[in-house]
Amino acid sequence: MAEPDASVLDAVASALREARLVVVATGAGMSRESGIPTFRDALTGLWARFDPAELATEDAFRRAPARVFGWYLWRRKVVRAAVPHAGYDAVVALERFVPHVVVVTQNVDGLHRRAGSGRVLELHGSLERFHCLAARHAYPAEAVAEPLEDGEVEPPACPHCGSPIRPGVVWFGELLPEREVAAAWEAAARCGVMLVVGTSGLVHPAAALPRIARDAGAMVVEVNPEPSDLSSLATVVCRGPAGAVLPALVARLEGPA
Ligand code: APR
């Protein structure tokens, strides 16, 4: 896929140079080029006969804890084998040119942290975190071993209350983590530029962030090879994959102003 016009990239680069705070809001498309299957793609092979809506809910976990827990450990294994692509490095590099960069992600793969971004708000949790079902007591990720075989895995019991340990992700019908949401909403309202990367803009409440930024006067830049529900809201659209567009923007910041 070709890069967007040089003049578009120049305009975004100059806005990035001026900004004191930049928010990078990412979704599943950000991880495509790292080979991480999206939520729906994830149901291949062993898991193909299940509907994600039947695995990613508290109800499903209560009904079939070993199945749901095993699915999440399989997804964690896939993510651990993936490597953050050049677009992730570009998001880290932004921190050299902008005083404050906040990454707000809907992804649970932890790739922004692994790439080295300093401030990452994970709105939908992480495959690397666990807590108990009843009281949300934290449970150390190192204590959840990689199973020898893919399939059902009985969740451990909470050492404090005996309740089963569940993945630290936000399931359908659950509220997003309060602190992350508050910080993300505040950053959206204060940023000079918001880069919206690889999200279809369909899943709420995360989809509200670009509008908050736009209403507060920020330049909203969509980075996506395809049009999305957010395209009409964007100030500028960069049609292209994250792994090409984001490094191209940083290359401009590195060059003469
Ligand atoms: N670079 C940038 N964007 C890309 C790329 C790429 N290489 N490849 C695909 N995209 C775009 C697609 O065009 C699409 O607009 O990424 C977007 C992915 O959209 P979704 O799959 O809907 O992902 P997302 O917006 O993150 O919403 C899914 O729903 O199931 C829940 O919690 C789950 O966070 C997840 C959310």
Side-chain angles (χ1 to χ4, degrees), residues 26-34 38-41 52 56 75 85 105-108 124 170 172 196-204 206-207 222-230 238-245:
T26 64
M30 179 74 194
S31 291
R32 244 307 155 75
E33 292 152 275
S34 284
T38 63
F39 195 71
R40 287 207 166 262
D41 298 338
R75 289 180 63 195
H85 60 71
T105 188
Q106 298 173 75
N107 299 340
V108 293
H124 293 174
V170 176
F172 289 114
V196 183
V197 189
T199 174
S200 57
L202 295 171
V203 178
H204 286 273
E222 175 174 65
V223 179
N224 195 319
E226 307 288 337
S228 81
D229 269 30
L230 298 169
C238 294
R239 283 275 162 264
V245 173

mmCIF file of all heavy atoms in Angstrom, residues 26-34 38-41 52 56 75 85 105-108 124 170 172 196-204 206-207 222-230 238-245, ligand 1:
data_model
loop_
_atom_site.group_PDB
_atom_site.id
_atom_site.type_symbol
_atom_site.label_atom_id
_atom_site.label_comp_id
_atom_site.label_asym_id
_atom_site.label_seq_id
_atom_site.Cartn_x
_atom_site.Cartn_y
_atom_site.Cartn_z
ATOM 1 N N THR A 26 -5.091 3.738 19.650
ATOM 2 C CA THR A 26 -4.909 2.590 18.743
ATOM 3 C C THR A 26 -5.932 1.484 18.963
ATOM 4 O O THR A 26 -6.441 1.288 20.061
ATOM 5 C CB THR A 26 -3.491 1.985 18.881
ATOM 6 O OG1 THR A 26 -3.327 1.446 20.195
ATOM 7 C CG2 THR A 26 -2.402 3.020 18.629
ATOM 8 N N GLY A 27 -6.187 0.754 17.860
ATOM 9 C CA GLY A 27 -7.073 -0.408 17.908
ATOM 10 C C GLY A 27 -6.415 -1.596 17.228
ATOM 11 O O GLY A 27 -5.203 -1.562 16.925
ATOM 12 N N ALA A 28 -7.225 -2.599 16.938
ATOM 13 C CA ALA A 28 -6.702 -3.877 16.446
ATOM 14 C C ALA A 28 -5.809 -3.737 15.205
ATOM 15 O O ALA A 28 -4.843 -4.484 15.042
ATOM 16 C CB ALA A 28 -7.866 -4.819 16.146
ATOM 17 N N GLY A 29 -6.130 -2.752 14.331
ATOM 18 C CA GLY A 29 -5.346 -2.583 13.100
ATOM 19 C C GLY A 29 -3.898 -2.245 13.366
ATOM 20 O O GLY A 29 -3.017 -2.510 12.535
ATOM 21 N N MET A 30 -3.619 -1.655 14.540
ATOM 22 C CA MET A 30 -2.228 -1.321 14.888
ATOM 23 C C MET A 30 -1.363 -2.578 14.961
ATOM 24 O O MET A 30 -0.171 -2.538 14.687
ATOM 25 C CB MET A 30 -2.213 -0.574 16.238
ATOM 26 C CG MET A 30 -0.835 -0.182 16.728
ATOM 27 S SD MET A 30 -0.136 1.210 15.807
ATOM 28 C CE MET A 30 1.588 1.154 16.320
ATOM 29 N N SER A 31 -1.960 -3.687 15.336
ATOM 30 C CA SER A 31 -1.170 -4.915 15.538
ATOM 31 C C SER A 31 -1.202 -5.867 14.346
ATOM 32 O O SER A 31 -0.553 -6.917 14.378
ATOM 33 C CB SER A 31 -1.642 -5.637 16.807
ATOM 34 O OG SER A 31 -1.283 -4.893 17.940
ATOM 35 N N ARG A 32 -1.945 -5.501 13.322
ATOM 36 C CA ARG A 32 -2.053 -6.348 12.135
ATOM 37 C C ARG A 32 -0.680 -6.745 11.579
ATOM 38 O O ARG A 32 -0.412 -7.908 11.298
ATOM 39 C CB ARG A 32 -2.745 -5.560 11.049
ATOM 40 C CG ARG A 32 -4.041 -5.969 10.514
ATOM 41 C CD ARG A 32 -4.236 -7.341 10.012
ATOM 42 N NE ARG A 32 -5.646 -7.675 10.099
ATOM 43 C CZ ARG A 32 -6.570 -7.203 9.278
ATOM 44 N NH1 ARG A 32 -6.245 -6.454 8.261
ATOM 45 N NH2 ARG A 32 -7.813 -7.521 9.465
ATOM 46 N N GLU A 33 0.159 -5.710 11.406
ATOM 47 C CA GLU A 33 1.462 -5.978 10.777
ATOM 48 C C GLU A 33 2.433 -6.708 11.713
ATOM 49 O O GLU A 33 3.510 -7.100 11.288
ATOM 50 C CB GLU A 33 2.076 -4.671 10.260
ATOM 51 C CG GLU A 33 1.307 -4.093 9.095
ATOM 52 C CD GLU A 33 1.430 -2.585 9.017
ATOM 53 O OE1 GLU A 33 0.639 -1.885 9.701
ATOM 54 O OE2 GLU A 33 2.320 -2.109 8.314
ATOM 55 N N SER A 34 2.042 -6.875 12.958
ATOM 56 C CA SER A 34 2.840 -7.734 13.851
ATOM 57 C C SER A 34 2.293 -9.155 13.828
ATOM 58 O O SER A 34 2.734 -10.019 14.590
ATOM 59 C CB SER A 34 2.827 -7.186 15.281
ATOM 60 O OG SER A 34 3.675 -6.062 15.377
ATOM 61 N N THR A 38 -7.019 -10.401 14.742
ATOM 62 C CA THR A 38 -8.015 -9.589 15.445
ATOM 63 C C THR A 38 -8.910 -10.530 16.248
ATOM 64 O O THR A 38 -8.830 -11.751 16.113
ATOM 65 C CB THR A 38 -8.889 -8.786 14.460
ATOM 66 O OG1 THR A 38 -9.598 -9.734 13.667
ATOM 67 C CG2 THR A 38 -8.068 -7.878 13.593
ATOM 68 N N PHE A 39 -9.728 -9.921 17.024
ATOM 69 C CA PHE A 39 -10.611 -10.660 17.906
ATOM 70 C C PHE A 39 -11.341 -11.787 17.158
ATOM 71 O O PHE A 39 -11.362 -12.931 17.589
ATOM 72 C CB PHE A 39 -11.614 -9.655 18.452
ATOM 73 C CG PHE A 39 -12.352 -10.152 19.630
ATOM 74 C CD1 PHE A 39 -11.717 -10.295 20.832
ATOM 75 C CD2 PHE A 39 -13.688 -10.467 19.519
ATOM 76 C CE1 PHE A 39 -12.407 -10.751 21.930
ATOM 77 C CE2 PHE A 39 -14.381 -10.922 20.608
ATOM 78 C CZ PHE A 39 -13.736 -11.063 21.819
ATOM 79 N N ARG A 40 -11.913 -11.440 16.005
ATOM 80 C CA ARG A 40 -12.671 -12.457 15.266
ATOM 81 C C ARG A 40 -11.749 -13.466 14.592
ATOM 82 O O ARG A 40 -12.002 -14.660 14.615
ATOM 83 C CB ARG A 40 -13.597 -11.811 14.252
ATOM 84 C CG ARG A 40 -14.741 -11.183 14.981
ATOM 85 C CD ARG A 40 -16.020 -11.073 14.208
ATOM 86 N NE ARG A 40 -17.063 -10.756 15.174
ATOM 87 C CZ ARG A 40 -17.865 -11.645 15.703
ATOM 88 N NH1 ARG A 40 -17.817 -12.890 15.351
ATOM 89 N NH2 ARG A 40 -18.744 -11.294 16.611
ATOM 90 N N ASP A 41 -10.650 -12.959 13.987
ATOM 91 C CA ASP A 41 -9.693 -13.885 13.362
ATOM 92 C C ASP A 41 -9.160 -14.891 14.384
ATOM 93 O O ASP A 41 -8.711 -15.962 14.027
ATOM 94 C CB ASP A 41 -8.442 -13.165 12.830
ATOM 95 C CG ASP A 41 -8.778 -12.158 11.753
ATOM 96 O OD1 ASP A 41 -9.833 -12.311 11.149
ATOM 97 O OD2 ASP A 41 -7.971 -11.241 11.550
ATOM 98 N N PRO A 52 -16.787 -15.640 19.627
ATOM 99 C CA PRO A 52 -16.092 -14.834 20.659
ATOM 100 C C PRO A 52 -17.056 -14.304 21.710
ATOM 101 O O PRO A 52 -16.712 -14.213 22.893
ATOM 102 C CB PRO A 52 -15.460 -13.693 19.864
ATOM 103 C CG PRO A 52 -16.051 -13.738 18.507
ATOM 104 C CD PRO A 52 -16.560 -15.122 18.282
ATOM 105 N N ALA A 56 -15.936 -14.343 25.613
ATOM 106 C CA ALA A 56 -15.462 -13.115 26.262
ATOM 107 C C ALA A 56 -16.541 -12.483 27.126
ATOM 108 O O ALA A 56 -16.831 -11.282 27.015
ATOM 109 C CB ALA A 56 -14.972 -12.141 25.201
ATOM 110 N N ARG A 75 -4.289 -17.122 23.493
ATOM 111 C CA ARG A 75 -4.112 -15.786 22.903
ATOM 112 C C ARG A 75 -2.847 -15.123 23.460
ATOM 113 O O ARG A 75 -2.112 -14.456 22.736
ATOM 114 C CB ARG A 75 -5.333 -14.910 23.192
ATOM 115 C CG ARG A 75 -6.556 -15.364 22.407
ATOM 116 C CD ARG A 75 -7.756 -14.493 22.698
ATOM 117 N NE ARG A 75 -7.553 -13.116 22.301
ATOM 118 C CZ ARG A 75 -8.331 -12.092 22.701
ATOM 119 N NH1 ARG A 75 -9.347 -12.320 23.491
ATOM 120 N NH2 ARG A 75 -8.088 -10.870 22.299
ATOM 121 N N HIS A 85 6.043 -3.972 15.440
ATOM 122 C CA HIS A 85 6.596 -3.550 14.140
ATOM 123 C C HIS A 85 7.100 -2.100 14.197
ATOM 124 O O HIS A 85 6.999 -1.435 15.238
ATOM 125 C CB HIS A 85 5.555 -3.762 13.037
ATOM 126 C CG HIS A 85 4.274 -2.989 13.236
ATOM 127 N ND1 HIS A 85 4.203 -1.622 13.085
ATOM 128 C CD2 HIS A 85 3.027 -3.385 13.582
ATOM 129 C CE1 HIS A 85 2.964 -1.213 13.311
ATOM 130 N NE2 HIS A 85 2.237 -2.267 13.623
ATOM 131 N N THR A 105 -4.916 2.665 24.234
ATOM 132 C CA THR A 105 -5.166 1.526 23.337
ATOM 133 C C THR A 105 -6.352 0.688 23.762
ATOM 134 O O THR A 105 -6.636 0.539 24.956
ATOM 135 C CB THR A 105 -3.892 0.647 23.196
ATOM 136 O OG1 THR A 105 -4.126 -0.326 22.168
ATOM 137 C CG2 THR A 105 -3.537 -0.071 24.493
ATOM 138 N N GLN A 106 -7.027 0.152 22.748
ATOM 139 C CA GLN A 106 -8.104 -0.819 23.000
ATOM 140 C C GLN A 106 -7.530 -2.225 22.961
ATOM 141 O O GLN A 106 -8.243 -3.188 23.205
ATOM 142 C CB GLN A 106 -9.175 -0.720 21.912
ATOM 143 C CG GLN A 106 -9.875 0.619 21.830
ATOM 144 C CD GLN A 106 -10.789 0.662 20.612
ATOM 145 O OE1 GLN A 106 -11.852 0.065 20.605
ATOM 146 N NE2 GLN A 106 -10.387 1.368 19.583
ATOM 147 N N ASN A 107 -6.269 -2.352 22.592
ATOM 148 C CA ASN A 107 -5.677 -3.689 22.430
ATOM 149 C C ASN A 107 -5.235 -4.257 23.776
ATOM 150 O O ASN A 107 -4.797 -3.521 24.658
ATOM 151 C CB ASN A 107 -4.483 -3.624 21.476
ATOM 152 C CG ASN A 107 -4.895 -3.138 20.092
ATOM 153 O OD1 ASN A 107 -6.067 -3.202 19.748
ATOM 154 N ND2 ASN A 107 -3.950 -2.651 19.323
ATOM 155 N N VAL A 108 -5.311 -5.567 23.881
ATOM 156 C CA VAL A 108 -4.921 -6.232 25.132
ATOM 157 C C VAL A 108 -3.572 -6.937 24.963
ATOM 158 O O VAL A 108 -3.141 -7.691 25.826
ATOM 159 C CB VAL A 108 -5.996 -7.261 25.577
ATOM 160 C CG1 VAL A 108 -7.288 -6.549 25.961
ATOM 161 C CG2 VAL A 108 -6.268 -8.312 24.505
ATOM 162 N N HIS A 124 -8.914 -1.708 27.589
ATOM 163 C CA HIS A 124 -9.582 -3.013 27.653
ATOM 164 C C HIS A 124 -8.763 -4.047 28.431
ATOM 165 O O HIS A 124 -8.981 -5.246 28.297
ATOM 166 C CB HIS A 124 -9.893 -3.526 26.233
ATOM 167 C CG HIS A 124 -10.917 -2.710 25.498
ATOM 168 N ND1 HIS A 124 -11.256 -2.916 24.183
ATOM 169 C CD2 HIS A 124 -11.698 -1.676 25.926
ATOM 170 C CE1 HIS A 124 -12.190 -2.037 23.824
ATOM 171 N NE2 HIS A 124 -12.463 -1.273 24.866
ATOM 172 N N VAL A 170 -11.272 -6.581 29.734
ATOM 173 C CA VAL A 170 -12.651 -6.119 29.873
ATOM 174 C C VAL A 170 -13.536 -6.984 28.984
ATOM 175 O O VAL A 170 -13.356 -7.033 27.774
ATOM 176 C CB VAL A 170 -12.774 -4.631 29.467
ATOM 177 C CG1 VAL A 170 -14.229 -4.174 29.523
ATOM 178 C CG2 VAL A 170 -11.905 -3.762 30.375
ATOM 179 N N PHE A 172 -17.320 -8.314 27.388
ATOM 180 C CA PHE A 172 -18.564 -7.688 26.922
ATOM 181 C C PHE A 172 -19.472 -7.455 28.118
ATOM 182 O O PHE A 172 -19.625 -8.321 28.984
ATOM 183 C CB PHE A 172 -19.277 -8.591 25.906
ATOM 184 C CG PHE A 172 -18.560 -8.658 24.581
ATOM 185 C CD1 PHE A 172 -17.978 -9.842 24.141
ATOM 186 C CD2 PHE A 172 -18.436 -7.533 23.777
ATOM 187 C CE1 PHE A 172 -17.309 -9.915 22.926
ATOM 188 C CE2 PHE A 172 -17.765 -7.592 22.556
ATOM 189 C CZ PHE A 172 -17.205 -8.778 22.136
ATOM 190 N N VAL A 196 -5.224 8.643 15.376
ATOM 191 C CA VAL A 196 -6.170 7.539 15.589
ATOM 192 C C VAL A 196 -5.763 6.424 14.626
ATOM 193 O O VAL A 196 -5.893 6.553 13.415
ATOM 194 C CB VAL A 196 -7.616 7.989 15.298
ATOM 195 C CG1 VAL A 196 -8.592 6.853 15.606
ATOM 196 C CG2 VAL A 196 -7.968 9.231 16.097
ATOM 197 N N VAL A 197 -5.231 5.341 15.181
ATOM 198 C CA VAL A 197 -4.573 4.333 14.337
ATOM 199 C C VAL A 197 -5.256 2.970 14.439
ATOM 200 O O VAL A 197 -5.373 2.407 15.533
ATOM 201 C CB VAL A 197 -3.091 4.167 14.774
ATOM 202 C CG1 VAL A 197 -2.347 3.288 13.765
ATOM 203 C CG2 VAL A 197 -2.381 5.507 14.948
ATOM 204 N N GLY A 198 -5.704 2.456 13.305
ATOM 205 C CA GLY A 198 -6.147 1.060 13.260
ATOM 206 C C GLY A 198 -7.366 0.739 14.092
ATOM 207 O O GLY A 198 -7.465 -0.343 14.664
ATOM 208 N N THR A 199 -8.313 1.672 14.131
ATOM 209 C CA THR A 199 -9.554 1.342 14.833
ATOM 210 C C THR A 199 -10.740 1.684 13.946
ATOM 211 O O THR A 199 -10.718 2.676 13.227
ATOM 212 C CB THR A 199 -9.660 2.033 16.209
ATOM 213 O OG1 THR A 199 -10.946 1.773 16.765
ATOM 214 C CG2 THR A 199 -9.432 3.523 16.143
ATOM 215 N N SER A 200 -11.756 0.831 13.997
ATOM 216 C CA SER A 200 -12.925 1.026 13.139
ATOM 217 C C SER A 200 -13.863 2.067 13.734
ATOM 218 O O SER A 200 -14.793 2.511 13.069
ATOM 219 C CB SER A 200 -13.653 -0.302 12.980
ATOM 220 O OG SER A 200 -14.015 -0.795 14.259
ATOM 221 N N GLY A 201 -13.660 2.432 14.983
ATOM 222 C CA GLY A 201 -14.517 3.436 15.604
ATOM 223 C C GLY A 201 -15.913 2.927 15.917
ATOM 224 O O GLY A 201 -16.864 3.690 16.050
ATOM 225 N N LEU A 202 -16.034 1.637 16.064
ATOM 226 C CA LEU A 202 -17.351 1.052 16.321
ATOM 227 C C LEU A 202 -17.561 0.699 17.787
ATOM 228 O O LEU A 202 -18.691 0.587 18.252
ATOM 229 C CB LEU A 202 -17.542 -0.219 15.479
ATOM 230 C CG LEU A 202 -17.567 -0.021 13.955
ATOM 231 C CD1 LEU A 202 -17.542 -1.373 13.249
ATOM 232 C CD2 LEU A 202 -18.795 0.783 13.552
ATOM 233 N N VAL A 203 -16.453 0.456 18.490
ATOM 234 C CA VAL A 203 -16.580 -0.036 19.863
ATOM 235 C C VAL A 203 -16.525 1.125 20.854
ATOM 236 O O VAL A 203 -15.525 1.846 20.929
ATOM 237 C CB VAL A 203 -15.488 -1.089 20.168
ATOM 238 C CG1 VAL A 203 -15.588 -1.557 21.615
ATOM 239 C CG2 VAL A 203 -15.631 -2.281 19.239
ATOM 240 N N HIS A 204 -17.627 1.305 21.566
ATOM 241 C CA HIS A 204 -17.706 2.385 22.541
ATOM 242 C C HIS A 204 -17.354 1.875 23.923
ATOM 243 O O HIS A 204 -17.473 0.686 24.169
ATOM 244 C CB HIS A 204 -19.129 2.967 22.537
ATOM 245 C CG HIS A 204 -19.359 3.792 21.310
ATOM 246 N ND1 HIS A 204 -19.028 5.123 21.239
ATOM 247 C CD2 HIS A 204 -19.812 3.454 20.083
ATOM 248 C CE1 HIS A 204 -19.297 5.583 20.029
ATOM 249 N NE2 HIS A 204 -19.781 4.579 19.297
ATOM 250 N N ALA A 206 -14.539 3.778 23.723
ATOM 251 C CA ALA A 206 -13.260 4.254 23.183
ATOM 252 C C ALA A 206 -13.461 5.093 21.923
ATOM 253 O O ALA A 206 -12.719 6.047 21.670
ATOM 254 C CB ALA A 206 -12.358 3.060 22.882
ATOM 255 N N ALA A 207 -14.508 4.776 21.160
ATOM 256 C CA ALA A 207 -14.751 5.477 19.905
ATOM 257 C C ALA A 207 -15.094 6.954 20.115
ATOM 258 O O ALA A 207 -15.071 7.737 19.166
ATOM 259 C CB ALA A 207 -15.867 4.775 19.137
ATOM 260 N N GLU A 222 -6.469 10.450 11.158
ATOM 261 C CA GLU A 222 -6.756 9.019 11.054
ATOM 262 C C GLU A 222 -5.650 8.316 10.259
ATOM 263 O O GLU A 222 -5.294 8.741 9.153
ATOM 264 C CB GLU A 222 -8.098 8.768 10.360
ATOM 265 C CG GLU A 222 -8.326 7.271 10.147
ATOM 266 C CD GLU A 222 -9.695 6.909 9.587
ATOM 267 O OE1 GLU A 222 -9.994 7.291 8.452
ATOM 268 O OE2 GLU A 222 -10.449 6.241 10.319
ATOM 269 N N VAL A 223 -5.094 7.242 10.825
ATOM 270 C CA VAL A 223 -4.117 6.407 10.112
ATOM 271 C C VAL A 223 -4.762 5.044 9.925
ATOM 272 O O VAL A 223 -4.925 4.274 10.882
ATOM 273 C CB VAL A 223 -2.803 6.280 10.911
ATOM 274 C CG1 VAL A 223 -1.805 5.392 10.163
ATOM 275 C CG2 VAL A 223 -2.200 7.658 11.190
ATOM 276 N N ASN A 224 -5.154 4.755 8.696
ATOM 277 C CA ASN A 224 -5.921 3.533 8.439
ATOM 278 C C ASN A 224 -5.931 3.305 6.928
ATOM 279 O O ASN A 224 -6.187 4.240 6.178
ATOM 280 C CB ASN A 224 -7.366 3.730 8.973
ATOM 281 C CG ASN A 224 -8.144 2.441 9.093
ATOM 282 O OD1 ASN A 224 -8.067 1.576 8.223
ATOM 283 N ND2 ASN A 224 -8.906 2.311 10.163
ATOM 284 N N PRO A 225 -5.659 2.097 6.467
ATOM 285 C CA PRO A 225 -5.685 1.870 5.017
ATOM 286 C C PRO A 225 -7.085 1.927 4.427
ATOM 287 O O PRO A 225 -7.247 2.081 3.224
ATOM 288 C CB PRO A 225 -5.086 0.460 4.859
ATOM 289 C CG PRO A 225 -5.146 -0.176 6.194
ATOM 290 C CD PRO A 225 -5.228 0.909 7.217
ATOM 291 N N GLU A 226 -8.100 1.818 5.297
ATOM 292 C CA GLU A 226 -9.496 1.803 4.823
ATOM 293 C C GLU A 226 -10.276 2.936 5.487
ATOM 294 O O GLU A 226 -9.976 3.309 6.614
ATOM 295 C CB GLU A 226 -10.188 0.494 5.256
ATOM 296 C CG GLU A 226 -9.481 -0.780 4.889
ATOM 297 C CD GLU A 226 -9.546 -1.067 3.409
ATOM 298 O OE1 GLU A 226 -10.469 -0.540 2.754
ATOM 299 O OE2 GLU A 226 -8.665 -1.790 2.914
ATOM 300 N N PRO A 227 -11.328 3.406 4.812
ATOM 301 C CA PRO A 227 -12.214 4.368 5.483
ATOM 302 C C PRO A 227 -12.881 3.708 6.698
ATOM 303 O O PRO A 227 -13.067 2.493 6.714
ATOM 304 C CB PRO A 227 -13.273 4.699 4.420
ATOM 305 C CG PRO A 227 -12.730 4.209 3.129
ATOM 306 C CD PRO A 227 -11.770 3.107 3.433
ATOM 307 N N SER A 228 -13.199 4.510 7.703
ATOM 308 C CA SER A 228 -13.849 3.962 8.902
ATOM 309 C C SER A 228 -14.947 4.915 9.340
ATOM 310 O O SER A 228 -15.116 5.991 8.758
ATOM 311 C CB SER A 228 -12.829 3.814 10.037
ATOM 312 O OG SER A 228 -12.656 5.068 10.668
ATOM 313 N N ASP A 229 -15.620 4.565 10.409
ATOM 314 C CA ASP A 229 -16.654 5.441 10.971
ATOM 315 C C ASP A 229 -16.083 6.754 11.479
ATOM 316 O O ASP A 229 -16.827 7.688 11.748
ATOM 317 C CB ASP A 229 -17.344 4.719 12.141
ATOM 318 C CG ASP A 229 -18.545 3.931 11.672
ATOM 319 O OD1 ASP A 229 -18.514 3.474 10.511
ATOM 320 O OD2 ASP A 229 -19.497 3.786 12.459
ATOM 321 N N LEU A 230 -14.758 6.797 11.671
ATOM 322 C CA LEU A 230 -14.142 8.004 12.206
ATOM 323 C C LEU A 230 -13.629 8.931 11.106
ATOM 324 O O LEU A 230 -13.255 10.072 11.373
ATOM 325 C CB LEU A 230 -12.969 7.630 13.125
ATOM 326 C CG LEU A 230 -13.358 6.808 14.356
ATOM 327 C CD1 LEU A 230 -12.126 6.270 15.050
ATOM 328 C CD2 LEU A 230 -14.164 7.684 15.315
ATOM 329 N N CYS A 238 -4.716 9.873 6.777
ATOM 330 C CA CYS A 238 -3.538 9.263 6.172
ATOM 331 C C CYS A 238 -3.922 7.834 5.801
ATOM 332 O O CYS A 238 -3.956 6.950 6.665
ATOM 333 C CB CYS A 238 -2.361 9.242 7.152
ATOM 334 S SG CYS A 238 -1.739 10.860 7.600
ATOM 335 N N ARG A 239 -4.210 7.622 4.533
ATOM 336 C CA ARG A 239 -4.604 6.284 4.087
ATOM 337 C C ARG A 239 -3.369 5.428 3.900
ATOM 338 O O ARG A 239 -2.615 5.606 2.941
ATOM 339 C CB ARG A 239 -5.334 6.363 2.738
ATOM 340 C CG ARG A 239 -6.729 6.815 2.812
ATOM 341 C CD ARG A 239 -7.711 5.696 3.113
ATOM 342 N NE ARG A 239 -8.949 6.294 3.588
ATOM 343 C CZ ARG A 239 -9.274 6.447 4.875
ATOM 344 N NH1 ARG A 239 -8.478 6.015 5.824
ATOM 345 N NH2 ARG A 239 -10.405 7.022 5.222
ATOM 346 N N GLY A 240 -3.145 4.503 4.810
ATOM 347 C CA GLY A 240 -1.991 3.628 4.694
ATOM 348 C C GLY A 240 -1.850 2.834 5.967
ATOM 349 O O GLY A 240 -2.518 3.128 6.972
ATOM 350 N N PRO A 241 -1.021 1.798 5.950
ATOM 351 C CA PRO A 241 -0.857 0.981 7.154
ATOM 352 C C PRO A 241 0.016 1.678 8.203
ATOM 353 O O PRO A 241 0.909 2.460 7.861
ATOM 354 C CB PRO A 241 -0.172 -0.278 6.615
ATOM 355 C CG PRO A 241 0.474 0.130 5.334
ATOM 356 C CD PRO A 241 -0.273 1.310 4.803
ATOM 357 N N ALA A 242 -0.262 1.358 9.457
ATOM 358 C CA ALA A 242 0.466 1.968 10.572
ATOM 359 C C ALA A 242 1.984 1.789 10.420
ATOM 360 O O ALA A 242 2.754 2.700 10.716
ATOM 361 C CB ALA A 242 -0.003 1.340 11.880
ATOM 362 N N GLY A 243 2.375 0.626 9.950
ATOM 363 C CA GLY A 243 3.811 0.312 9.859
ATOM 364 C C GLY A 243 4.549 1.141 8.825
ATOM 365 O O GLY A 243 5.785 1.191 8.841
ATOM 366 N N ALA A 244 3.819 1.808 7.926
ATOM 367 C CA ALA A 244 4.458 2.696 6.948
ATOM 368 C C ALA A 244 4.238 4.162 7.314
ATOM 369 O O ALA A 244 5.172 4.970 7.285
ATOM 370 C CB ALA A 244 3.899 2.421 5.550
ATOM 371 N N VAL A 245 2.992 4.513 7.697
ATOM 372 C CA VAL A 245 2.659 5.928 7.914
ATOM 373 C C VAL A 245 3.374 6.493 9.146
ATOM 374 O O VAL A 245 3.950 7.585 9.100
ATOM 375 C CB VAL A 245 1.125 6.098 8.064
ATOM 376 C CG1 VAL A 245 0.787 7.526 8.453
ATOM 377 C CG2 VAL A 245 0.419 5.710 6.765
HETATM 378 N N1 APR B 1 -2.746 -0.178 9.872
HETATM 379 C C1 APR B 1 -3.743 0.612 10.346
HETATM 380 N N2 APR B 1 -5.035 0.237 10.386
HETATM 381 C C2 APR B 1 -5.343 -0.993 9.930
HETATM 382 C C3 APR B 1 -4.359 -1.869 9.417
HETATM 383 C C4 APR B 1 -3.008 -1.418 9.395
HETATM 384 N N3 APR B 1 -2.022 -2.185 8.932
HETATM 385 N N4 APR B 1 -4.980 -3.030 9.033
HETATM 386 C C5 APR B 1 -6.284 -2.864 9.301
HETATM 387 N N5 APR B 1 -6.517 -1.641 9.837
HETATM 388 C C6 APR B 1 -7.792 -1.058 10.278
HETATM 389 C C7 APR B 1 -9.036 -1.605 9.615
HETATM 390 O O1 APR B 1 -9.268 -0.937 8.380
HETATM 391 C C8 APR B 1 -10.114 -1.295 10.664
HETATM 392 O O2 APR B 1 -10.658 0.007 10.466
HETATM 393 O O3 APR B 1 -7.960 -1.366 11.637
HETATM 394 C C9 APR B 1 -9.343 -1.316 11.987
HETATM 395 C C10 APR B 1 -9.635 -2.517 12.881
HETATM 396 O O4 APR B 1 -10.946 -2.434 13.338
HETATM 397 P P1 APR B 1 -11.531 -3.448 14.446
HETATM 398 O O5 APR B 1 -11.125 -4.835 14.100
HETATM 399 O O6 APR B 1 -12.980 -3.129 14.593
HETATM 400 O O7 APR B 1 -10.723 -3.075 15.750
HETATM 401 P P2 APR B 1 -11.016 -2.058 16.950
HETATM 402 O O8 APR B 1 -11.490 -0.737 16.443
HETATM 403 O O9 APR B 1 -9.816 -2.124 17.800
HETATM 404 O O10 APR B 1 -12.253 -2.677 17.709
HETATM 405 C C11 APR B 1 -12.216 -3.988 18.149
HETATM 406 O O11 APR B 1 -13.605 -4.678 19.845
HETATM 407 O O12 APR B 1 -13.746 -6.864 20.191
HETATM 408 C C12 APR B 1 -13.449 -5.673 20.795
HETATM 409 O O13 APR B 1 -12.005 -5.287 22.565
HETATM 410 C C13 APR B 1 -12.023 -5.715 21.228
HETATM 411 O O14 APR B 1 -10.558 -3.835 21.131
HETATM 412 C C14 APR B 1 -11.317 -4.701 20.342
HETATM 413 C C15 APR B 1 -12.427 -4.006 19.629
#
